[in-house]
Amino acid sequence: ASLAYTHGSPRTTPYFVGRRFKDLWHNHFNTGGPGYTMSQATLRKLLHNIEADQCSPNLKTPKEDVTISQCLTSLGVHLTDTRDAKGRERYHHFDPGWMMDYTPRKRDVGSQIPQESDWYELYNREWGMLFGADCCAPDSVSFHYVPAGAIRHMHALLHQCQINEAFSRSTIEANAQTQPYCRWEP
């Protein structure tokens, strides 16, 4: 089911969906990288309250995603888990190849913190992560940091081609400037 459908009418039901993170200061927020989606009801609520103190109208910060999330939470619009039934994410902070190839850094025996700080793993610790082919829902909404050539390539794969071989980030990047890596099926 679509995310909007599970939340009711976008005109009357406030919802705010995206890729949830919890930063090192314990802020829960939908990250702005891959974008987030809000209903018309949420947008109206935000517009009517944007100057309210709980929305920090005078705050100058590069973290608009944290500020918007805190504002909406204070207005009663909470973050929604956008993972599918198998726990795969729909909004992605990196490109598909990075998401499929990602593995967490090794830990010291008995340590709860990675040896080197890996912000991505730390920001996902509360709800865990899936790796490899399980990283991404088939009905994913967005990916961040995707080069223009790779976007064209993915569009062709999704809408014009049938994949005839497995591909990885290196395959996408190698073929992104020429033509899609696919077999045309009439």
Side-chain angles (χ1 to χ4, degrees), residues 110-125:
S111 174
Q112 294 300 312
I113 305 284
Q115 284 180 318
E116 297 178 37
S117 180
D118 183 343
W119 72 268
Y120 187 69
E121 183 181 4
L122 291 172
Y123 278 33
N124 285 285
R125 179 165 285 166

Side-chain angles (χ1 to χ4, degrees), residues 29-42:
F29 64 100
N30 282 333
T31 178
Y36 40 76
T37 307
M38 60 180 75
S39 64
Q40 290 176 5
T42 300

